[in-house]
Structures are given as structure tokens and as C-alpha cells.
Amino acid sequence: ALPICETDDDVAMCFIRNVQEFDKYIMYLVGRIQAESVVVSNAIQEFYKQYSEDTLASVDPSQPPPLPLQHFLETPINRINQYQLIIKELIRNKARHGKNCALLEQAYAIVSALTRRAENNLHVSLIENYPGTLESLGEPIRQGHFIVWEGAPGARMAWKGHNRHVFLFKNYILICKPKRDTKTETYSYIFKNIMKLTNIDVNDQVEGDDRAFEISPEREDSVRKFLLDLRMFT
């Protein structure tokens, strides 16, 4: 535990040894949006107000009033930010004295990646109609919006491209169609294609566009190609 650490490297090792425990933060961050929508509901707010007045206040009236529920939702996020600030300051101090910062940098990488990993997992949880178990794909590495042309693209006219959300996993790439529910203002992704990375060729030398790349099955007789262009969304 952090309170018993005697050196900077002890602090770093505390994070490194407990790297799997930080997955709990990812699960929390993924579910945080849903939790917030529940917490701000009138029924929950009224219940907590009544609970505070009847139970908490009667325990010790001299204590300050109970904190709002939203405060408790923010606590884990504030803790992550505090961890980052502490480790970053330890790295600065150690580097200033010319000492090795490798362990601290590894610890910082663990903590600073939590938000990005949670965001990737949140987007994966919104995929619909996938013919299998999404968990079997492992943790997503990256995800983002692209304009995608399927088939021999030829002249890439914007109206021929499709708005797609692409997910990169360790062994697979998924292509999904974004869907927006105008009634609830929620988003999801409809599964369209999956390709195993070992079975595709990647061409990142697309003529006239340094922000596009082409993926296609490695069979010579295959005419199916996907051209992904990130430029449209930046």
C-alpha cells in the first residue's frame, strides 16, 4: 500500500504489482454514464434526501451535511487524476537528479491509460448484432470514425463512402455502422464486418491521401477491398 512506501520505486512497484486491480476503475468508468443518469433522477434524489435527513443527520448532528450523491461518483475519477499528478511529480524530481525513472514511467503509463481504455470499452459495449461474444475478442486497442468505401473504390466520391466506426483488437478489426436514436439521444453500433488481421493485406500508400489506408483479404482472386479514410473526421 502507498502509505508504507519508503522510496519512489516502492511507489512505482505498488502500481505495477496491482495493475490488474485497476481494471475495476475501467469497469466503473464504463458504467459511470449510466450511473449518473440514475443518480440525477427525481426518485433517487428524493430517496437520498430523505435518507440523509432521517438517518445520517440523526447519527451526529454536529457533523457537516452529507455530500451530494454526484460527489461519490466523482471520487474515483479524482483519485485517478491525483495518482497521475503524484507520479508525474515524482518523475520530475527524479529526472532532475539524473536518476532512472523507468519504473515510475511504467506506473504512470498504467494510470494514464485508464480513461482511454474505459472509453474504448464503452464504445465496444454499444455494438449490436455481433454474431458471437464480444469478450472473446479481448480488449480493444483503438476505435474511431472513418469514411469507408467497400469494393474497388475508383474515384472516391464522398457520397459513395459510408460512415463507419472501426474497432481494432489484437487479432481482429471490426467495422460497424453508427446508429443514433433520436428519441433517447443515444448511440449504438450495428455490426457489419469482421476480419482477422492475419488474413488481410494492408496498404497504407494510398495515392494522393496520406490519411487513408486500404485493407483487403490476402487471396489473390479476391476483389473485396475496404478503403478507410480518417481525413473526413478531423
Side-chain angles (χ1 to χ4, degrees):
L2 288 175
I4 62 174
C5 293
E6 296 182 355
T7 67
D8 294 348
D9 284 348
D10 288 341
V11 173
M13 288 305 302
C14 186
F15 286 91
I16 295 170
R17 281 196 300 265
N18 293 283
V19 60
Q20 293 184 341
E21 292 296 316
F22 282 97
D23 288 348
K24 296 177 182 177
Y25 281 93
I26 295 175
M27 291 187 290
Y28 168 79
L29 291 170
V30 169
R32 179 190 169 206
I33 295 177
Q34 183 178 0
E36 286 180 337
S37 65
V38 173
V39 164
V40 298
S41 68
N42 291 334
I44 296 298
Q45 290 292 326
E46 185 61 31
F47 170 81
Y48 187 67
K49 178 183 178 183
Q50 192 67 40
Y51 171 77
S52 301
E53 293 175 352
D54 296 346
T55 305
L56 296 182
S58 63
V59 173
D60 189 351
S62 65
Q63 294 298 315
L67 295 169
L69 277 175
Q70 289 86 336
H71 167 81
F72 300 102
L73 289 179
E74 295 296 328
T75 299
I77 299 170
N78 293 336
R79 188 180 299 122
I80 292 173
N81 293 334
Q82 186 177 18
Y83 285 155
Q84 292 187 66
L85 291 174
I86 292 172
I87 298 174
K88 189 181 292 185
E89 186 61 29
L90 291 175
I91 291 174
R92 287 199 191 100
N93 290 336
K94 206 164 188 179
R96 194 178 296 123
H97 293 87
K99 297 182 179 180
N100 191 320
C101 302
L103 289 176
L104 284 171
E105 289 172 348
Q106 187 177 344
Y108 183 79
I110 291 171
V111 179
S112 62
L114 291 174
T115 303
R116 172 182 54 79
R117 292 174 62 197
E119 182 180 1
N120 289 343
N121 279 276
L122 173 61
H123 283 276
V124 169
S125 72
L126 301 177
I127 297 176
E128 300 178 357
N129 299 339
Y130 177 70
T133 305
L134 288 167
E135 289 77 9
S136 65
L137 301 175
E139 185 172 338
I141 299 173
R142 297 192 69 177
Q143 49 78 31
H145 284 293
F146 289 84
I147 290 289
V148 177
W149 287 261
E150 184 175 351
R156 284 184 289 140
M157 299 179 181
W159 59 271
K160 289 187 176 181
H162 298 285
N163 181 13
R164 294 291 184 260
H165 204 88
V166 180
F167 297 85
L168 175 65
F169 295 85
K170 181 180 180 180
N171 297 314
Y172 297 93
I173 185 169
L174 260 68
I175 299 178
C176 298
K177 178 181 178 180
K179 184 181 75 171
R180 176 172 174 247
D181 189 327
T182 55
K183 293 182 179 179
T184 60
E185 290 298 323
T186 57
Y187 293 84
S188 60
Y189 305 107
I190 308 301
F191 169 79
K192 301 295 290 184
N193 296 284
I194 182 171
M195 288 168 279
K196 195 170 184 178
L197 296 182
T198 55
N199 294 338
I200 63 174
D201 287 327
V202 179
N203 173 24
D204 60 356
Q205 301 295 322
V206 177
E207 184 177 355
D209 195 340
D210 60 355
R211 307 204 69 174
F213 61 95
E214 186 179 73
I215 56 177
S216 58
E218 59 185 6
R219 303 193 313 273
E220 293 183 0
D221 60 342
S222 175
V223 296
R224 192 180 196 191
K225 297 179 184 293
F226 295 89
L227 186 67
L228 289 76
D229 194 339
L230 180 63
R231 181 180 53 184
M232 299 291 183
F233 290 95
T234 57

